[in-house]
Amino acid sequence: MKKINIAICGFGIVGSGTYALLKKNRELLINRTGLDIEIKKILVADMEKDRDFPEAKSLFTDKPENIYLDKDIDIVVEVMGGIQSAESIIINSLKKKKSVVTANKALLALKGFDIVREAEKNSVDILFEASVAGGIPIIRIVKDFLLSNNIEYLYGILNGTSNYILTEMTQKKLKFDTALKEAQDKGYAEKDPTFDIEGIDTAHKLAILLNLIYDIKVDFNQIYTEGITGITDEDIKFADEFGYSIKLLAVAKRSDGYIEGRVHPALVKKDSILSNINNVYNAIYVKGDFLGSSLYYGRGAGSSPTATSVVADIVEAAINIDKGCLSRKSGYTALSKNLKKLKLASIDRLSSRYYMRFSVADAPGVLSKISGILSRLNISIESVIQKGKSTSENSNLSVSIVMITHESLGYNIKKAVQQIDNLDITHSKTFIIRIEDFYA
Ligand code: NAP
Ligand code: HSE
């Protein structure tokens, strides 16, 4: 039986999950592939740390060159995260003609094209299923199954940590920080959780998907990115009263002459599918021109689901080595030769309905000042909720006024917020959330 030797770089949440799966299901994998995948080395930063699987310690090294210079290693699995060290290990491994499996969305979003070119140059595989939506095989879906379709749009809940926090705040009334701590304890969050809660991790994943579905090389900095840190219990309650829940969405859409690529919290109708994706679960709702709509759902983060994606890639790379058919299709391959020159649209140019929360003095005339500004900027109001009583005695108190607008241009909303925030009746910054009226 052919043996395929691998090295795992990183032995944290994903690395130890990958180790556990390969050990526990070794016989199953041998029966199904005819290949024996053996872990030859494991790269860690701290050789002395106490960890699960103490028996793995004999495989540890803290020197990357022990991995990429080892002629016996066929596949390098990069699950350590970060940019510089991870990039160096990946590029050096590819140069040494080793196939690479990575879960590193941050690196791919910034350097994906360079990495794929290096893999192509060396005729080896670069596989990255675990980089987007943890245990959902969405990379295979867009790069294989949907290869023949033009993608009209894609809406994704792509960050397990944020979705977990929003769900816990909504269903159990937990505080933001308590819910974040739980997500960290469960192994969902990034090493620096601001990547999760500020939408950056979702934007990394969206950049990878945009590259694959629209044949464009995305400038990551052009993706409009807003996270969930501004969302309060009050917003969740108001959204509920209007018939919505709040989700952190990644949106990719093709329009005439431009592409939309944006990440932000959104109000989604409570009876829509995406509204009912909860906890660590992710979902991607995609419309292809021939397939029509389809939905992919599963656990978006955590050790075992992510390990399942990583091992799927290891097995694919191993079979390709065995059959001598490496470097068949990275997903970026054709794209690097046929890139389209489509720009991402500025968020200001896009229209949508908006949820606007104003924190203002509880005094007569406030509503008319706000609605005057909105009307001069062509923003019409669909509905309003005002909590609190207006009396002359309590005009120093803050009250929240919440409005839902009709479809309005992003630029006009921005101008309105600037003007309203400059009024003396405004106590703190106006908070807005886009409303996504998709039909799932
Ligand atoms: P983690 O728990 O922090 O583990 C990182 C591991 O990499 C640790 O074992 C660490 O070593 C090792 N490491 C880090 N920098 C190193 C360096 N310079 N040299 C040698 N070893 C180094 O992270 P994780 O959650 O497993 O995530 C790993 C990657 O998978 C990241 O790119 C992440 O974005 C991605 N990902 C994570 C999930 C998830 O649910 N967690 C899902 C999908 C993708 P020590 O143990 O010695 O400190
Ligand atoms: N931190 C990421 C998340 C891990 O919460 O979705 C999976 O990519």
Side-chain angles (χ1 to χ4, degrees):
M1 187 189 337
K2 182 150 182 171
K3 193 166 266 209
I4 301 285
N5 291 322
I6 72 162
I8 302 178
C9 302
F11 203 58
I13 299 290
V14 182
S16 60
T18 302
Y19 175 90
L21 199 169
L22 286 171
K23 290 287 170 195
K24 178 167 180 291
N25 290 352
R26 183 175 176 194
E27 287 305 317
L28 179 120
L29 286 166
I30 289 173
N31 286 341
R32 289 181 175 170
T33 65
L35 300 171
D36 187 10
I37 295 166
E38 178 153 336
I39 303 166
K40 199 158 175 249
K41 286 189 179 134
I42 296 174
L43 181 72
V44 292
D46 178 354
M47 300 275 286
E48 300 312 320
K49 201 194 252 182
D50 278 342
R51 318 171 181 260
D52 297 340
F53 312 109
E55 76 283 1
K57 197 170 176 184
S58 61
L59 305 175
F60 285 1
T61 174
D62 57 3
K63 299 197 174 37
E65 58 276 20
N66 287 347
I67 305 275
Y68 57 76
L69 294 179
D70 184 335
K71 289 196 172 60
D72 290 340
I73 291 173
D74 304 298
I75 301 169
V76 172
V77 181
E78 185 279 306
V79 284
M80 49 193 247
I83 302 293
Q84 278 89 7
S85 304
E87 183 186 14
S88 159
I89 287 170
I90 290 176
I91 295 289
N92 279 308
S93 301
L94 294 170
K95 282 186 196 297
K96 292 289 173 193
K97 307 222 175 280
K98 300 177 192 309
S99 288
V100 169
V101 171
T102 179
N104 195 330
K105 51 267 166 121
L107 180 60
L108 289 169
L110 302 176
K111 306 274 183 81
F113 273 76
D114 300 339
I115 290 171
V116 166
R117 280 207 185 96
E118 196 58 52
E120 283 176 16
K121 230 191 314 175
N122 291 287
S123 302
V124 287
D125 282 331
I126 172 80
L127 298 166
F128 44 92
E129 186 61 74
S131 65
V132 181
I136 307 176
I138 191 64
I139 299 294
R140 280 175 170 74
I141 294 293
V142 296
K143 113 181 172 184
D144 295 337
F145 178 64
L146 280 168
L147 186 77
S148 65
N149 274 222
N150 287 297
I151 305 300
E152 291 176 21
Y153 56 72
L154 176 154
Y155 288 93
I157 294 175
L158 299 180
N159 185 266
T161 301
S162 298
N163 206 37
Y164 183 87
I165 293 170
L166 291 173
T167 306
E168 295 292 287
M169 285 174 74
T170 306
Q171 295 182 351
K172 297 192 190 150
K173 315 291 174 222
L174 283 196
K175 291 280 161 226
F176 189 102
D177 289 345
T178 313
L180 170 58
K181 171 79 175 46
E182 281 188 11
Q184 288 177 296
D185 291 346
K186 287 172 187 282
Y188 303 155
E190 295 303 298
K191 192 170 177 192
D192 175 357
T194 52
F195 277 59
D196 297 291
I197 60 180
E198 295 295 358
I200 303 161
D201 177 74
T202 302
H204 287 147
K205 292 163 177 166
L206 180 62
I208 296 168
L209 292 175
L210 283 166
N211 287 329
L212 297 178
I213 65 175
Y214 289 136
D215 307 352
I216 54 172
K217 182 174 179 180
V218 176
D219 175 356
F220 176 72
N221 297 312
Q222 299 290 307
I223 297 178
Y224 177 82
T225 305
E226 193 187 309
I228 60 166
T229 46
I231 291 169
T232 60
D233 308 347
E234 214 185 5
D235 294 316
I236 290 172
K237 263 188 252 146
F238 280 127
D240 184 66
E241 281 188 44
F242 284 117
Y244 294 92
S245 48
I246 302 176
K247 294 289 172 191
L248 180 65
L249 288 190
V251 181
K253 233 189 229 180
R254 179 199 292 271
S255 303
D256 268 352
Y258 63 84
I259 300 281
E260 286 180 40
R262 50 193 166 93
V263 171
H264 52 74
L267 261 62
V268 292
K269 277 244 178 298
K270 274 199 276 187
D271 57 3
S272 68
I273 294 174
L274 290 192
S275 167
N276 291 294
I277 307 300
N278 288 317
N279 294 308
V280 72
Y281 282 86
N282 282 190
I284 303 108
Y285 183 69
V286 194
K287 184 163 186 209
D289 56 355
F290 273 66
L291 178 69
S293 311
S294 56
L295 178 81
Y296 308 92
Y297 171 72
R299 285 178 183 271
S303 187
S304 309
T306 310
T308 303
S309 288
V310 171
V311 172
D313 280 352
I314 295 171
V315 169
E316 183 175 330
I319 291 171
N320 290 349
I321 291 168
D322 184 44
K323 303 282 183 219
C325 57
L326 286 150
S327 194
R328 285 181 306 134
K329 186 154 56 81
S330 69
Y332 286 73
T333 311
L335 314 185
S336 56
K337 292 171 194 141
N338 297 312
L339 285 180
K340 292 197 182 133
K341 292 202 170 50
L342 283 172
K343 283 217 164 325
L344 290 190
S346 153
I347 194 94
D348 289 352
R349 284 183 52 186
L350 305 176
S351 291
S352 81
R353 290 161 67 233
Y354 279 83
Y355 162 100
M356 305 184 85
R357 171 171 50 80
F358 309 102
S359 300
V360 286
D362 193 3
V366 165
L367 199 52
S368 70
K369 281 190 182 167
I370 293 173
S371 52
I373 290 176
L374 295 178
S375 130
R376 282 193 290 284
L377 284 160
N378 223 10
I379 299 165
S380 71
I381 302 162
E382 185 185 290
S383 40
V384 183
I385 299 180
Q386 179 175 6
K387 302 273 181 190
K389 273 198 291 178
S390 302
T391 66
S392 49
E393 292 87 60
N394 64 0
S395 63
N396 280 333
L397 293 181
S398 274
V399 69
S400 292
I401 297 179
V402 177
M403 291 180 183
I404 299 284
T405 73
H406 285 292
E407 190 152 309
S408 311
L409 190 63
Y411 178 81
N412 290 349
I413 293 282
K414 190 163 90 182
K415 286 276 142 203
V417 168
Q418 280 166 2
Q419 292 180 23
I420 290 164
D421 285 355
N422 278 332
L423 294 173
D424 53 6
I425 50 120
T426 300
H427 286 179
S428 42
K429 280 185 185 303
T430 299
F431 188 62
I432 60 164
I433 311 179
R434 286 160 193 81
I435 300 176
E436 287 297 336
D437 290 304
F438 52 85
Y439 310 103

